[in-house]
Amino acid sequence: MHETDMTKALIFTVKDWWESQTERPQITEIHLIVGKFTCVEPVSLKFAFEVQTGNTFLEGVELVIQETPLIAFCHRCQQEYAPQVGLQYGCPECDSPMEDIRSGRELKIDRIEYIFDEANKKAYAPNI
Amino acid sequence: MHQTFDAALGINLLHANQKGADHNRAHFDEWGITCFNIMSSPGAGKTVLLERSLAVLTDDLKIAVIEGDMTTELDADRLRQYGVPVIAINTGRSCHLDSKMVAGGIHQLEHQYNPVDFDLVLVENVGNLVCPAEFEVGEHIKVALLSVTEGEDKPLKYPVMFQEADCLLITKIDLAPYLDIDINRIAANVRQMNPHVTIIAVSAKTGEGLEHWFNWVKSQVLNQRSSATATEMLPA
Ligand SMILES: Nc1nc2c(ncn2[C@@H]2O[C@H](COP(=O)(O)OP(=O)(O)OP(=O)(O)O)[C@@H](O)[C@H]2O)c(=O)[nH]1
Ligand SMILES: [Zn+2]
Ligand SMILES: [Zn+2]
Ligand SMILES: [Zn+2]
């Protein structure tokens, strides 16, 4: 269920960007970076996105999701380690708690691909 | 000819919610209110805890409650008996409160009362261990509840909320003797991912531990007040 809400949040955020553009471009792809230490499951997010964008300005837009692993940094050992989500979060060497998360919390819209129709652009260019 | 363009954005997927949360927090700061976001799975004991807290804390603090529930006003009605404003927000099918819904509650508070009179707003989130953790509502403090009946491993399995919490309440400890559960194990599991969290074990039924909780709440309100710098102006 929460992917539905995540998707709504994503659509709102993209809409904000889209409406701030002078010419509303036709978006073709949205690239996300999603950490493994978040509440988002990529497959469910893609599904919810497809369902919720039907008949909107985002219809047919492809959602490309790049996942990042959970990586923490242990200050005592001065090294990075990969906590095992669901099992063990502390440092495997010294058992210090997970304190400094270096990756895995990302929920980011990395970039958006869109197209312009050059012919249209010319036709509507002023004073030509 | 179609030409493909690429806009590098690097903006948070929850940016729209974040903006709303910042707006809410600016209101709270302007009014000198501390806001708690209270989260747990369904039935961990949020509403009962609020009842016990209102009964005592209203002696020292002026409190309002924003009560999120998917469909009913059952919880809100229970809390109204304590003589505090309770603003009920029905989320419909949504499994958490977002900043926009809470903004609606805040604006009600603003119109029906004098918001500067309040010290503390308690937001009872919808019962759900997963996404309330990702949707800030403008709170200063995140409180997570975990009841002893849920099991020691829940923080490990639903880590985000427990990793983000400022305070963990282990609730219903009066039931611990009947269960095969070790409260220290729950605490250790949360500290694995959140070493600085304040952990308080309570029973709303017997009252055990509640005094600690009340003192902690009061200390947070004082802290928040003294750390509040010059009032931030809201954008027009
Ligand atoms: N034995 C015992 N039962 C408790 C305690 N606290 C709450 N309960 C019971 O647990 C049940 C759920 O409590 P609520 O306060 O309604 O839980 P909630 O978290 O508000 O639930 P939702 O709002 O639906 O998510 C009720 O039957 C309470 O009486 C406690 O300390 N001890
Ligand atoms: Zn280490
Ligand atoms: Zn409740
Ligand atoms: Zn939700």
Side-chain angles (χ1 to χ4, degrees), chain B residues 14-25:
Chain B
L14 302 176
H15 179 75
N17 185 67
Q18 199 64 50
K19 257 186 7 192
D22 292 344
H23 170 95
N24 294 350
R25 200 176 294 107

Side-chain angles (χ1 to χ4, degrees), chain B residues 42-48 75 78 124 127 172 174-175 203-205:
Chain B
K46 297 180 295 298
T47 310
V48 174
D75 284 355
R78 271 161 66 184
E124 182 182 334
K172 308 191 191 182
D174 58 287
L175 298 177
S203 164
K205 189 171 178 175

Side-chain angles (χ1 to χ4, degrees), chain A residues 2 5, chain B residues 95-96 128 131:
Chain A
H2 55 277
D5 290 318
Chain B
C95 49
H96 61 271
N128 172 359
C131 54

Side-chain angles (χ1 to χ4, degrees), chain A residues 21-22 47 50 79 107 115:
Chain A
Q21 304 299 299
T22 36
F47 177 73
E50 211 179 299
Q79 62 182 18
L107 274 177
I115 51 174

Side-chain angles (χ1 to χ4, degrees), chain B residues 54-89:
Chain B
L54 292 175
V56 172
L57 288 172
T58 44
D59 287 346
D60 297 309
L61 299 170
K62 185 116 197 253
I63 303 174
V65 177
I66 295 178
E67 178 66 42
D69 248 319
M70 287 178 77
T71 48
T72 66
E73 288 220 7
L74 290 176
D75 284 355
D77 285 337
R78 271 161 66 184
L79 299 177
R80 288 196 177 105
Q81 299 173 19
Y82 294 85
V84 301
V86 179
I87 297 156
I89 300 176

Side-chain angles (χ1 to χ4, degrees), chain B residues 109-158:
Chain B
L109 185 74
E110 183 183 13
H111 292 129
Q112 293 171 15
Y113 305 89
N114 189 2
V116 297
D117 289 345
F118 291 89
D119 303 302
L120 179 62
V121 166
L122 298 169
V123 177
E124 182 182 334
N125 219 308
V126 179
N128 172 359
L129 273 187
V130 185
C131 54
E134 299 281 17
F135 285 80
E136 272 192 35
V137 299
E139 71 274 33
H140 300 99
I141 307 269
K142 288 186 163 82
V143 178
L145 273 63
L146 182 70
S147 61
V148 294
T149 54
E150 292 171 77
E152 293 158 3
D153 58 350
K154 290 307 166 290
L156 303 179
K157 287 176 154 171
Y158 300 92

Side-chain angles (χ1 to χ4, degrees), chain A residues 17-73:
Chain A
W17 172 81
W18 188 69
E19 285 175 347
S20 73
Q21 304 299 299
T22 36
E23 292 168 75
R24 309 277 158 92
Q26 190 192 328
I27 297 174
T28 53
E29 286 179 17
I30 299 174
H31 291 253
L32 305 182
I33 297 178
V34 171
K36 291 239 187 193
F37 197 64
T38 63
C39 300
V40 176
E41 174 53 46
V43 177
S44 317
L45 189 67
K46 278 187 163 178
F47 177 73
F49 184 81
E50 211 179 299
V51 172
Q52 286 184 44
T53 53
N55 290 320
T56 73
F57 74 109
L58 290 173
E59 170 146 33
V61 171
E62 193 187 349
L63 201 57
V64 184
I65 301 177
Q66 187 202 332
E67 278 192 278
T68 55
L70 174 58
I71 303 288
F73 183 80

